[in-house]
Amino acid sequence: MMWTPRAWRAAGAAALCAALLTSACSPDSSAPQEDAGQDGQEQQNQDPIPEPEFDDDETVALPIGLISPAGHNEIAPIGEDGRIVEPQSGPGYPGQQNAPRPHQTEVARSDSFGCGNTVSVVQTVPTVTDDPARSALEYLLSLDSSGIGRPAFGNPLGLSSEVQVESVEVSGETVTVALSDVPVARDSCEAWRVAMQIEATARAATGTTAAEVMVGDTPLAAHWGLADETPLRLTEIRRD
């Protein structure tokens, strides 16, 4: 069974909130990671992020890229071993001292990019699909809230819920995503956030190390005049 974009839109925000294990879901609404160790140190927590695995009942949890809450890297940094360094003291997330900790739901986090943001990769509840990569991107594009959870993961793609995924193709270590139109971005910072949401989702859903997002024959980055940089590093968060 393959859910249509209309079906994703009807169930998307509620299912993602459940997956995030947060106590509330609202439409309202950093620093780069250090290199992991010296030469020869174990690098198993570095990208590519393994593509999602199907459970015995043929369902799969879809990886979704959302913008990390403000101060996320400082409050819950990732250690050299890929585990979250739990804060021992401090005020926590601004105005949300008693809220669930967003990092408890992350499966990966990106380096800093653009205007000092990072992407957190979280997972949906298990769903039935024969194409996890396309389904993950359709799910992401179906969410029309600008923030998910409390404290909120940002979702600037919530302004672009009418944009559709035309194709997702993998060649070697690169995934190419074709969109029907250019997503909404109100400034260059938001353009970076939207672009990295799509890249992180596509890569996490396919286990690839690079992503190219196209609108027609033009890369999305070129539409917005974004610099052509090396692929964003994603660090898998270990919990074993």
Side-chain angles (χ1 to χ4, degrees):
M1 179 181 72
M2 184 69 174
W3 282 29
T4 65
R6 183 182 297 275
W8 285 126
R9 189 167 293 112
L16 186 54
C17 285
L20 292 175
L21 303 178
T22 56
S23 59
C25 204
S26 170
D28 302 325
S29 12
S30 63
Q33 297 293 311
E34 297 293 332
D35 289 337
Q38 304 297 321
D39 292 342
Q41 184 176 359
E42 184 177 17
Q43 298 290 314
Q44 65 182 22
N45 63 308
Q46 302 306 317
D47 62 43
I49 304 301
E51 61 184 299
E53 296 183 356
F54 285 86
D55 291 331
D56 293 340
D57 61 359
E58 298 185 351
T59 62
V60 61
L62 304 176
I64 302 297
L66 298 171
I67 303 304
S68 308
H72 200 47
N73 273 351
E74 291 75 24
I75 295 169
I78 301 175
E80 291 185 355
D81 61 355
R83 292 181 173 85
I84 297 291
V85 179
E86 292 286 347
Q88 301 300 313
S89 61
Y93 298 92
Q96 301 285 349
Q97 287 84 349
N98 297 320
R101 294 176 175 177
H103 66 265
Q104 294 174 340
T105 65
E106 286 179 289
V107 296
R109 192 185 306 166
S110 77
D111 278 1
S112 180
F113 63 87
C115 298
N117 296 111
T118 59
V119 168
S120 294
V121 178
V122 299
Q123 291 179 320
T124 69
V125 294
T127 191
V128 178
T129 177
D130 58 2
D131 190 346
R134 183 174 186 127
S135 294
L137 289 161
E138 288 179 341
Y139 189 107
L140 177 63
L141 283 162
S142 77
L143 298 174
D144 56 10
S145 295
S146 62
I148 304 294
R150 185 173 67 91
F153 288 99
N155 179 38
L157 265 171
L159 297 172
S160 304
S161 57
E162 298 305 314
V163 175
Q164 297 183 10
V165 180
E166 294 191 336
S167 66
V168 181
E169 299 180 357
V170 175
S171 177
E173 291 299 316
T174 300
V175 55
T176 300
V177 178
L179 301 178
S180 63
D181 204 350
V182 178
V184 175
R186 294 166 294 188
D187 55 40
S188 61
C189 290
E190 192 164 79
W192 273 114
R193 295 177 194 124
V194 168
M196 294 303 102
Q197 274 191 271
I198 299 170
E199 175 180 325
T201 299
R203 287 172 53 194
T206 56
T208 52
T209 59
E212 185 172 35
V213 184
M214 304 292 294
V215 180
D217 296 328
T218 306
L220 179 59
H223 278 284
W224 286 329
L226 301 180
D228 185 15
E229 297 188 349
T230 57
L232 192 65
R233 189 179 73 165
L234 298 175
T235 298
E236 182 181 14
I237 293 173
R238 296 179 57 190
R239 305 191 188 278
D240 54 351

